Amino acid sequence: MIEHSGTVVGVEGGVLKVEIINSSACGACSAAALCSAAEKRRKIVDVMPSGGVEYTPGDIVTFVGEESMGVKAVVLAYVVPLLLVVGGLLSAHVAGFGDAACAVAALAPLAPYYVILWLMSGRIDKTFIFKIKNQNQIL
């Protein structure tokens, strides 16, 4: 299970907007404030509230998601683009194109792929569902 804690910053359409702070591994270092390597990023995550419980901005919640969501994200963000680049490169090389044409052929499939991802972002978002974690079970 993927588990995070965060602060509710709003509620829209029955879905909680929860802010989490991702920090780099060295973010806990005492010199992190002075170091440019220590990185903290704020993210807003949509979380389905548990039934019958009211949440207000400022509430701290713990939410969970399936591990399969992480695998799916890695496949969409890294594996598919890598396969497209390698496939385009090998196809152009086998066809006998020069180095510059092979480079263009390697990168060309990425443009339509990212456009398709953008067009389907609403549908993809619906498959990444986080839920509030109860003390004893996942709701």
Side-chain angles (χ1 to χ4, degrees), residues 41-127:
R41 292 180 300 196
R42 296 178 187 270
K43 293 183 180 180
I44 304 294
V45 179
D46 292 341
V47 180
M48 296 301 295
S50 51
V53 179
E54 294 286 328
Y55 294 95
T56 58
D59 290 346
I60 296 185
V61 295
T62 300
F63 57 95
V64 294
E66 298 291 328
E67 254 183 65
S68 62
M69 291 176 9
V71 172
K72 185 176 191 176
V74 167
V75 168
L76 290 173
Y78 299 108
V79 175
V80 172
L82 176 67
L83 293 175
L84 290 172
V85 167
V86 171
L89 179 65
L90 291 176
S91 297
H93 182 70
V94 168
F97 291 110
D99 290 345
C102 286
V104 171
L107 297 176
L110 293 179
Y113 175 69
Y114 287 122
V115 168
I116 290 168
L117 275 183
W118 177 71
L119 291 172
M120 296 188 65
S121 63
R123 186 178 292 176
I124 292 170
D125 281 348
K126 291 177 184 175
T127 65

